[in-house]
Amino acid sequence: MFKQLYHYLCRQNPYLMTKPVEGFSKWTKEEKIDWIAAQYTLDPEAAKTLLKSYLNSDAKLQQLHDEFIENTITNYYLPLGIAPNFLINEKLYAIPMAIEESSVVAAASRAAKFWLDRGGFKTDVLGTEKIGQVHFLYQGDVAKLRAFFIEIKDKLIADAAPITKNMEKRGGGIIGVELRDKTSELENYFQLHCAFETLDAMGANFINSCLEQFAQTLQREAKNYDAFTEDERNIEVVMSILSNYVPNCLVRAEVSCPISELTLKASISPKDFANKMVRAIEIAKVEPHRAVTHNKGIMNGIDAVVLATGNDFRAVEAGIHAYAAKDGRYSSLTHAEVEKGVFRFWIEIPMALGTVGGLTNLHPLVKLALEILGNPSAKELMQIVAVAGLAQNFAAVSSLVTTGIQEGHMKMHLLNILNQLGATESEKNILITHFKKNTVTHSAVVEAFDQLKSKS
Ligand code: MEV
């Protein structure tokens, strides 16, 4: 009782509980676990046991995971599922998906199967250009800055040669460097706006290293540029960093079939279904509240594959949402039309992915996920990921415009609730059968479970 009151007070005022910690990162993992459990949990022994139960028994494998980040105390699992039967450009894929949300893998698999019998998915990479910028301040004559930039452009690229040499050998490198005047938006603000081809690498380290070199060259050359005044020589570099907005690193995925083949549900005619799908997309195009949820469903598919293949889902998310707002209003990422008796449904999205470097060479499950996908190039992976997003959206919207989403969701959720309640396998089987004919709600499941328990 006293302990709980103490913890309650601590939560109101964390400073009551403990002093700021010194040198935490230098402690051993064991020390970190002991400390966090003692200082921040109600039952330190239970917390320690739980944390340790998630550690891998293979010490080498555990060490690998420990070293991905700082201050690791344990591993955090997500299920890795497979959505099979994806026919993409005539090739059959089984797509690995890492995600916690029930029904996402099932929905993807359903959509894959549906389109498998209707020609599958057609995809195309429309561009692979990545972007990075050196943001700087310059006070002075803009014409002089332009002349200076023209003069140093070759030097910028030549100074970066040690960084770009290997990438160039493989056919990538710097595509272009432009000077951009942003002073109409922010006083004295200019950019070196740079485009890169990074092939199968996501390219973050490559791009950032090039940019930091550009920044150094820019400042060094400015100091020695005779036409500049003393003030003009003092170019202030604010930062050099890649952009996660990559509208020219673009992929498109599409499905289509004669309307008569849209025999998804017995309860709705193919024509009505096609029209409803188109209408639902139109709504997501004009209504941002709907567009956000619509696109969230797309990201269910995209993030799951991006994560399973060891890519940076935050970068992909940020870039895709920015793209969804590119015309000044947040809008749908998918499109649909009915023309001459054919239903067409497609997505066009930007994303920067890698299939070499980063986690792709390190994480054993990422390596396996890539192997399952046939060790794709970054371009091929872009197409697979776009398909996962499109499939997910098809599954979600087709449910929404027919039965509604809850029917399927709650069936999947049933298992989660039963697991939370600690149901045994035989209790689960009895209750799954029961809820084939009854509506799943959280309270209905609890009630049915309690009744079953009281009978046994
Ligand atoms: C749930 O995770 C995703 C949906 O809300 C997507 C949508 O509404 O299109 C079902």
Side-chain angles (χ1 to χ4, degrees), residues 303-351:
D303 282 346
V305 189
V306 169
L307 200 54
T309 56
N311 275 279
D312 181 344
F313 64 92
R314 287 85 54 209
V316 170
E317 283 270 351
I320 289 183
H321 291 299
Y323 191 74
K326 71 179 188 320
D327 298 323
R329 175 171 65 186
Y330 190 90
S331 184
S332 169
L333 292 161
T334 51
H335 314 269
E337 68 177 25
V338 169
E339 227 186 76
K340 297 192 181 122
V342 173
F343 171 76
R344 241 162 41 88
F345 182 57
W346 72 99
I347 189 168
E348 212 177 88
I349 38 168
M351 71 179 84

Side-chain angles (χ1 to χ4, degrees), residues 101 104 290 293-294 296-298 300 393 396-397 400 405 409:
E101 185 174 330
V104 167
R290 173 58 201 148
T293 318
H294 179 92
K296 187 274 180 188
I298 295 170
N300 278 344
N393 188 234
V397 179
L400 286 170
I405 206 76
H409 255 203

Side-chain angles (χ1 to χ4, degrees), residues 81-294:
I82 291 287
N85 298 324
F86 271 96
L87 185 64
I88 307 175
N89 300 339
E90 310 303 326
K91 190 170 161 188
L92 203 54
Y93 293 86
I95 302 189
M97 303 177 93
I99 188 155
E100 87 299 344
E101 185 174 330
S102 60
S103 84
V104 167
V105 176
S109 309
R110 235 185 318 120
K113 186 78 177 40
F114 180 82
W115 287 106
L116 175 68
D117 302 330
R118 289 161 181 80
F121 295 80
K122 302 282 179 282
T123 61
D124 209 358
V125 170
L126 307 175
T128 55
E129 182 187 283
K130 317 264 170 70
I131 298 295
Q133 297 165 318
V134 178
H135 305 270
F136 67 93
L137 303 180
Y138 166 80
Q139 290 191 48
D141 182 344
V142 177
K144 274 200 242 170
L145 181 68
R146 287 191 199 290
F148 164 72
F149 174 69
I150 291 168
E151 199 161 313
I152 67 154
K153 200 168 163 185
D154 288 347
K155 273 198 191 114
L156 287 170
I157 293 171
D159 284 357
I163 306 163
T164 57
K165 201 170 73 194
N166 282 339
M167 187 65 88
E168 276 171 9
K169 265 192 220 149
R170 283 179 273 133
I174 301 163
I175 299 173
V177 182
E178 264 175 54
L179 173 70
R180 289 196 175 173
D181 181 346
K182 307 291 283 181
T183 51
S184 62
E185 284 149 78
L186 192 65
E187 208 180 2
N188 304 328
Y189 171 35
F190 293 84
Q191 299 169 346
L192 295 181
H193 184 91
C194 315
F196 301 87
E197 171 55 69
T198 63
L199 305 168
D200 286 335
M202 192 249 189
N205 283 332
F206 172 75
I207 294 173
N208 289 333
S209 300
C210 287
L211 294 171
E212 289 187 6
Q213 180 56 56
F214 291 164
Q216 276 183 27
T217 304
L218 179 78
Q219 285 182 306
R220 186 195 67 219
E221 292 301 316
K223 289 260 177 288
N224 301 321
Y225 191 59
D226 288 340
F228 278 160
T229 63
E230 206 47 50
D231 277 351
E232 288 167 340
R233 286 198 178 116
N234 282 325
I235 283 181
E236 182 189 333
V237 171
V238 180
M239 59 194 156
S240 310
I241 186 75
L242 67 74
S243 170
N244 291 125
Y245 186 46
V246 284
N248 295 326
C249 191
L250 203 61
V251 56
R252 182 191 159 91
E254 177 178 321
V255 283
S256 67
C257 71
I259 290 180
S260 57
E261 290 182 17
L262 288 175
T263 47
L264 200 73
K265 310 250 174 195
S267 57
I268 184 166
S269 77
K271 188 161 169 251
D272 285 350
F273 175 73
N275 290 335
K276 275 198 154 188
M277 286 294 287
V278 172
R279 194 88 66 243
I281 305 293
E282 282 168 355
I283 290 170
K285 283 198 179 190
V286 300
E287 166 51 48
H289 278 91
R290 173 58 201 148
V292 170
T293 318
H294 179 92

Side-chain angles (χ1 to χ4, degrees), residues 80 82 94-97 305 307-310 363-376 381:
L80 180 68
I82 291 287
I95 302 189
M97 303 177 93
V305 189
L307 200 54
T309 56
H363 197 301
L365 281 176
V366 167
K367 279 201 239 175
L368 186 70
L370 288 168
E371 186 185 333
I372 291 170
L373 290 172
N375 290 319
L381 185 60

